Amino acid sequence: MFGSITTAVLLGVSAVPVTVEARVGQGLPQLTIVGMREADARACRERIRCGLQAAGLGLPLGRITVSLAPADLPKRGAGCDLPVLLALLVAAGEVPAEQVRGWAAYAEVGLDGTLRPVPGVLAATRAAAAHGSTTVLVDAASGPVAAHVPVDVLAATSVPELMACLREGSTAGMAAGPCELAPGDAAVTELADVRGQQVAVRALTIAAAGGHNLLLHGPPGCGKTMLASRLPGLLPALPGEEYLEVCELHDAAGVAPPAPGMRPFRAPHHGVTPTALAGGGSGSVHVGEVTLAHRGVLFLDEVAEFRPSALDALRQPLESGHVAVRRAGWMAQMPARVQLVAAMNLCRCGRTGTRSAEPCRCSDASREAYRNRVSGAILSRFDLGVRLVEPHDSLAVLPAAPTSEEACCAVLGARERQDAHNPGGCCNALLRRAEGGRLELGDDAGEAMARAIQALRIGGRTQLAVLRVARTIADLAGRDRIVRSDLVEALGYRPTIEAS
Amino acid sequence: MVATQAPDVRAAWWQLARIEQAYGVILSEHGRLPHGDPFLARAELERRAARSPVLARILAEVGVDAPPESVVLPCDERYPAALANHPLAPWALYTRGSAELLDPDRLRIGIVGSRRARPTHLAHVHDIAADLARAGACIVSGLALGIDARAHAGALAAGGATIAVLPAGLDHLVPHRNRPLAGQILESGGLLLSPYPDDRGPERWQFAARNKVVAGLVRFLLVGQAAARSGTLHTVDEALQMGCEVGAIPGAHDDPACAGSNRHLRDGAHPVLAAIHVLRCLGLDAPAAPPPSQQPPDPLLDALEVPRTLDVLAALVGGEEREVACRLVELELEGAATRLSDGSWAAAGAGWDPSGRS
C-alpha cells in the first residue's frame, strides 16, 4: 500500500527534485499531506479529491499520508498535484507500481480532472531527468515544451485520459514531441528607419559587436528609445542551447519567451521595484527582469527616474553575471549576464539641448541632482556613452542608417574574431586587463593613451572601458592590433556624465 | 604679522574681537561704537554692560591675550584702509593662506555678480579675471556660485592670485560645491578671508558683512552680471561709499538677469568689455598681447568659440560626424578643445567648462 513518484519544485529559476510518497494504512479515512505548507497542502488535497472524482475514482479508504521529501525544502506551486495523485493511485493499487517506475510528473489538477500547465515545466523536466527519471508526465500544453529535454515526455489532457491509457497498459498515445518554444518570427525593428545620428548608430553597432553596456543621453524625442530598440536586431542569433536556457528562465517566470533565436529584450518601466528588477522576495523567489534579460538586452529608459535602490540592486548582477538571493534557510542563484542599455535626458525638465522656444529653467543644483540619481557605481559600468542631439535638419533630408542586415554582418564578423582570439571566447566587454594581448596598444596608440590619461584625466575604470571599446572597433575593422584611430574613436565614446 | 602699533593696542583690538566672538554678532553693527580706538570702544561697551547682563558677563570673562598670527586687526598695516575708516567695520579679519595679498601696495580688483548668470557672461568673466590676473591684479570675490566662482577660476587658470571672502567662519566653507575651488585657491597661494571667527556657521545676515569686506579690499569693483534685486547691489553701494571705482559688463537691454548691472552703467559705472577697460580706468598699462600664432587657423577650432553640439560642428566645417568626432578627440588630447558635461564641445580654456577643469 505504498506508492512513490518524482516531481520537482521551483526555487528561483532552477528546479529541485522532490520525491512524493503515499501510504494507505489502517485507520479512519483521512488524507494528510506533509512536507508542504498547511495552506498549500489543503488546496492540493481538495483539487486531488475532485480530480479523482472526475475520473470516477474516490480517495482510497483508510488513513492516507502523503509526504514530499526533502521535508525542509520550502515548496510552493501546484505542480505537485499530479505526482501526489499518481502516488495515491499506486498506493491504492489502482495503478501497478511497475508501470510508473522511473516516472516523474508535473502538472496542476483541475476540479473537472483536466491537467493544467504550471510555470517552470522546462526546469522541472530537466531536474527530474538529471535525478534519474526516465519518463516525465506533464499536461498537454506543456508536453511539446518539455519534450526539448532529452527524456521521454508524456502529455495528457486530463486525469480520465491518463487513467484510460494506464489501464490499457500503453502510453504511446500520450508521447509528446518538441515544438517551437515561441510563436513565429518577431517583428524585427529595422535600423535603417533611423535617420541622421551617425555617431549614435555607430556606437550602437560597436555595442552590439562587443557586448558593451551603452548609455544614451540627450533631449527627449531625439531617438534614444528608437535606437535602443534596434539593438536586438543587430545581435547575433542565440545558439540552440542558449536559447533553450533563455526559454527555461522565461518559463520559470511564466513569461512568453522571445522568438526563436532572438535574444531577449527587456524594458521595465521606471517604477519597477528592486525585487522586480533584480529578483528576490521573502517567501518565494521572484525572477527579476535582469534574469529575464539573460544573454540579451536590459533597456532602462529614463534611467534617472528609476528609484536609486532599484538601480543599485543591479550592481552585483552586472559585475558577476548572476543574482544570488539568500534568505534564512535557503538560497537561490539566477543567471543574469545582460547587456545594459540606458537612456536619460540631460535635465529633469528635458529642455536642455532642445531647440524649443521655451528655455530650460533647471538650476545647476537640480541638474546635478538629476544626474546623481544614477550612482557612480552604475555609471562606471557603461563602456560607451553617446550624447544624442536633436536633428538640425528635417528628417527627410538626413541620410538613413545602414540596414540591420548590413550592420549585423559587421557585428558577426567582429564576434567571430572575438570567439577565436578572446580567452574562453568571451565578448570584448568582459575582457580584463590581466588577459593581456588583446588589449595591447601599438606604439602610436600607446602614446595617445598616455596623453589621454594625462590631458583628459581618465581613471582606471574608464581606461579599461576605452581599451575594450577600441578592441571592438579594431575587430570591426578586422585588425589584430589596436591602432591610434581606433583608440581616438573609442575615446570619443567614453561616457561624460559623471556622478559628482 | 606686521604690527604698526604697540602690542597692547593689538591685544586690545583682539580682546574686542573676542568679546564680539563670544557675543555672537558683530557688535559694531548693533549701534555705533567709537571706531579707530579700541580703548574708547571698550569703555563704551563697559558703559553698555550696565544695562546688559550678558554683555557684562562676557566682558568679565574675556581677558587680554596675544592675538594669533592669522588674524588681521584694524591696527595692522594689512587691514584694508578703506575698511578701517568705516564706522561699522569688523574688528578682526580671520585669514588662511597668503596674508601678503593684503599688503597695502597690492592691486586688488573685485569681481562680483549673480549666482545664476548666463553662460556667455560666465565665460566673459572668466576671461576678464584671467587677463587681470596676468596683468598682476589680485582678484577678490566671494566664493559664491556663478560669477564669483568663475572669477576665482579665471584668476587660477592664469596662475594669478585670488582672495575669497567668506560669509561664514573658515571652518564652514560655503557653498559646499565650491570647496574644491577653495582648496585650489589655497594650493595656488591665494587667501581665504572671513570677518567671522572660524567656528561661525553660515547665516543669511552675515552676507552683508562679507560684501562690505569685499568692497573695502578692492580699488575697482566689477559687476559681472546682476538682476534688479541682487545682493551684488549691496556690495556696489558699499564700494561707492568707500570711494572705489565701479564697473559693469553690459547685458542685453531687455534681459531681466542683467537689469541690475545695466542700471549701474546708466548711473555712471564704467562699461567693461575687456580687462583693459578696468586697467585704463585705474591708469595702468595693459599687458602686451600674446603674439599671433603662425599656424593656419583651424575652422573646427574657430567653430568651437561657443559650445556647439557635434551635428552643428559637422555642418559648419563640412564632413562626416564620425570623422569630426575623431578630430575633436584629437583636439581634446592636444588640450585645445573640451567636452562639456552636457556633451557639447567648446574651445578649452575659454571658461565654458562649469566644473572648472581647464
Side-chain angles (χ1 to χ4, degrees):
Chain A
M1 300 304 269
F2 173 78
S4 157
I5 202 154
T6 305
T7 185
V9 293
L10 267 189
L11 203 60
V13 293
S14 51
V16 184
V18 166
T19 308
V20 180
E21 295 163 332
R23 180 176 286 281
V24 183
Q26 288 183 337
L28 287 173
Q30 175 179 1
L31 170 57
T32 313
I33 300 180
V34 297
M36 198 182 212
R37 285 196 322 182
E38 179 55 34
D40 288 341
R42 205 163 37 224
C44 179
R45 195 163 57 209
E46 294 311 316
R47 285 195 297 265
I48 288 167
R49 196 197 307 277
C50 295
L52 283 172
Q53 279 168 7
L57 298 162
L59 278 174
L61 279 178
R63 189 185 171 98
I64 312 166
T65 309
V66 175
S67 162
L68 287 81
D72 60 351
L73 186 78
K75 302 176 198 71
R76 282 178 77 112
C80 297
D81 287 2
L82 184 57
V84 170
L85 186 142
L86 261 183
L88 260 178
L89 290 176
V90 174
E94 294 280 345
V95 175
E98 275 310 307
Q99 201 175 1
V100 295
R101 189 171 303 282
W103 279 32
Y106 191 74
E108 179 183 333
V109 175
L111 297 194
D112 56 353
T114 51
L115 298 183
R116 298 214 171 96
V118 183
V121 69
L122 261 175
T125 310
R126 199 195 290 273
H131 188 238
S133 299
T134 51
T135 306
V136 178
L137 176 65
V138 295
D139 61 283
S142 307
V145 178
H148 281 269
V149 181
V151 67
D152 288 339
V153 173
L154 302 178
T157 50
S158 64
V159 180
E161 184 199 323
L162 173 66
M163 285 309 298
C165 283
L166 287 173
R167 284 194 183 121
E168 269 173 35
S170 154
T171 55
M174 294 197 294
C179 73
E180 285 289 4
L181 287 165
D185 293 334
V188 174
T189 46
E190 176 53 55
L191 184 62
D193 295 344
V194 179
R195 294 199 165 259
Q197 304 291 11
Q198 203 190 20
V199 172
V201 169
R202 168 77 175 162
L204 193 72
T205 314
I206 295 171
H212 303 287
N213 294 341
L214 171 67
L215 175 64
L216 302 163
H217 54 118
C222 66
K224 302 186 291 289
T225 311
M226 183 182 189
L227 271 167
S229 67
R230 265 60 187 169
L231 183 56
L234 304 190
L235 292 168
L238 268 178
E241 262 176 49
E242 294 182 0
Y243 178 68
L244 194 62
E245 182 194 2
V246 166
C247 286
E248 193 179 313
L249 298 176
H250 280 72
D251 177 44
V255 178
M262 287 294 287
R263 286 169 189 268
F265 180 82
R266 304 292 305 181
H269 181 258
H270 57 69
V272 69
T273 61
T275 306
L277 190 59
S282 50
S284 59
V285 194
H286 293 280
V287 181
E289 287 287 339
V290 69
T291 297
L292 291 178
H294 178 58
R295 297 196 187 279
V297 178
L298 178 66
F299 176 46
L300 304 181
D301 204 357
E302 304 294 355
V303 64
E305 302 294 345
F306 279 72
R307 58 186 87 178
S309 57
L311 286 181
D312 285 335
L314 288 180
R315 288 155 84 146
Q316 183 249 350
L318 285 178
E319 184 63 34
S320 63
H322 60 79
V323 183
V325 180
R326 280 164 218 273
R327 299 290 183 268
W330 54 268
M331 169 203 149
Q333 187 154 316
M334 298 182 273
R337 178 64 68 199
V338 300
Q339 182 171 6
L340 184 65
V341 179
M344 66 187 285
N345 294 339
L346 300 168
C347 64
R348 203 177 161 96
C349 80
R351 282 195 285 263
T352 305
T354 62
R355 293 178 169 78
S356 79
E358 183 82 359
C360 166
R361 297 204 188 285
C362 295
S363 66
D364 283 353
S366 85
R367 240 174 259 233
E368 202 170 290
Y370 181 77
R371 284 205 298 264
N372 283 348
R373 280 184 60 93
V374 187
S375 71
I378 296 290
L379 283 178
S380 73
R381 303 269 177 257
F382 291 100
D383 285 355
L384 288 159
V386 184
R387 157 81 149 92
L388 277 83
V389 288
E390 248 189 359
H392 61 278
D393 258 330
S394 122
L395 284 179
V397 304
L398 288 171
T403 62
S404 288
E405 208 179 331
E406 286 166 15
C408 197
C409 266
V411 167
L412 278 177
R415 286 266 170 145
E416 269 166 28
R417 295 183 66 84
Q418 294 170 42
D419 281 343
H421 299 300
N422 282 359
C426 68
C427 57
N428 286 341
L430 300 178
L431 277 181
R432 302 196 178 277
R433 214 186 291 250
E435 283 157 4
R438 289 275 288 161
L439 293 180
E440 245 167 50
L441 299 172
D443 284 346
D444 50 349
E447 183 252 352
M449 190 67 188
R451 181 116 51 99
I453 292 170
Q454 204 149 51
L456 313 180
R457 296 187 200 174
I458 56 178
R461 173 79 214 179
T462 314
Q463 287 170 31
L464 183 58
V466 167
L467 283 177
R468 286 167 174 168
V469 172
R471 181 63 257 167
T472 305
I473 294 171
D475 281 335
L476 279 168
R479 274 192 282 271
D480 286 333
R481 275 312 260 284
I482 301 172
V483 300
R484 187 188 162 93
S485 65
D486 301 334
L487 188 76
V488 166
E489 191 180 352
L491 280 168
Y493 297 127
R494 69 182 199 280
T496 42
I497 289 196
E498 289 154 7
S500 45
Chain B
M1 189 59 50
V2 185
T4 53
Q5 299 194 22
D8 57 331
V9 180
R10 284 203 89 218
W13 275 114
W14 176 234
Q15 190 191 12
L16 277 183
R18 284 179 53 231
I19 290 169
E20 192 173 83
Q21 196 173 331
Y23 199 64
V25 288
I26 290 187
L27 279 171
S28 47
E29 283 177 357
H30 267 242
R32 273 171 191 272
L33 287 167
H35 72 279
D37 187 337
F39 301 106
L40 283 179
R42 163 88 206 200
E44 167 68 13
L45 281 181
E46 267 162 12
R47 206 173 58 74
R48 285 188 195 178
R51 276 173 290 139
S52 161
V54 178
L55 189 55
R57 205 189 66 233
I58 292 171
L59 283 181
E61 279 172 7
V62 176
V64 182
D65 294 328
E69 283 285 287
S70 62
V71 174
V72 179
L73 299 167
C75 56
D76 292 337
E77 199 178 25
R78 280 177 175 164
Y79 194 92
L83 213 51
N85 295 330
H86 196 289
L88 303 179
W91 284 335
L93 297 178
Y94 301 82
T95 68
R96 198 169 288 170
S98 316
E100 57 271 18
L101 293 176
L102 296 174
D103 286 343
D105 54 347
R106 257 327 267 240
L107 170 62
R108 288 181 294 267
I109 293 172
I111 301 182
V112 293
S114 163
R115 285 177 180 77
R116 295 185 58 185
R118 303 255 178 258
T120 46
H121 271 76
L122 287 174
H124 199 172
V125 161
H126 184 278
D127 286 354
I128 291 179
D131 288 347
L132 286 173
R134 273 187 213 105
C138 170
I139 304 297
V140 182
S141 195
L143 201 73
L145 302 175
I147 297 278
D148 283 18
R150 304 316 291 282
H152 290 303
L156 291 176
T162 181
I163 300 177
V165 186
L166 287 134
L170 297 178
D171 290 343
H172 295 266
L173 293 178
V174 286
H176 204 276
R177 272 172 49 210
N178 278 344
R179 283 190 185 180
L181 181 61
Q184 287 171 23
I185 291 175
L186 280 181
E187 275 170 30
S188 70
L191 177 70
L192 302 183
L193 185 146
S194 167
Y196 293 98
D198 289 355
D199 56 352
R200 180 74 57 84
E203 299 290 351
R204 192 176 290 237
W205 60 83
Q206 292 172 190
F207 285 70
R210 185 268 299 273
N211 293 346
K212 194 184 306 166
V213 174
V214 170
L217 276 170
V218 301
R219 266 178 75 188
F220 189 101
L221 184 73
L222 174 62
V223 181
Q225 183 185 2
R229 296 183 42 161
S230 164
T232 306
L233 306 185
H234 179 248
T235 315
V236 171
D237 285 346
E238 294 281 1
L240 288 172
Q241 277 180 30
M242 294 188 210
C244 85
E245 299 284 343
V246 172
I249 299 176
H253 71 282
D254 57 350
D255 187 347
C258 297
S261 35
N262 283 346
R263 203 177 66 214
H264 290 313
L265 290 172
R266 205 194 56 209
D267 291 348
H270 299 282
V272 174
L273 301 176
I276 179 126
H277 301 139
V278 177
L279 297 172
R280 275 201 199 127
C281 174
L282 295 172
L284 300 165
D285 286 332
S293 74
Q294 298 300 311
Q295 289 172 346
D298 183 347
L300 185 55
L301 261 185
D302 289 347
L304 289 173
E305 291 276 291
V306 291
R308 290 193 159 115
T309 50
L310 184 60
D311 62 327
V312 176
L313 289 170
L316 279 176
V317 302
E320 294 271 296
E321 281 182 17
R322 261 177 69 188
E323 174 204 331
V324 174
C326 288
R327 279 171 66 196
L328 283 167
V329 175
E330 293 279 6
L331 284 177
E332 202 181 8
L333 289 180
E334 286 166 21
T338 181
R339 190 153 53 149
L340 308 185
S341 60
D342 68 350
S344 53
W345 292 84
W352 289 108
D353 196 346
S355 67
R357 282 182 297 172
S358 52

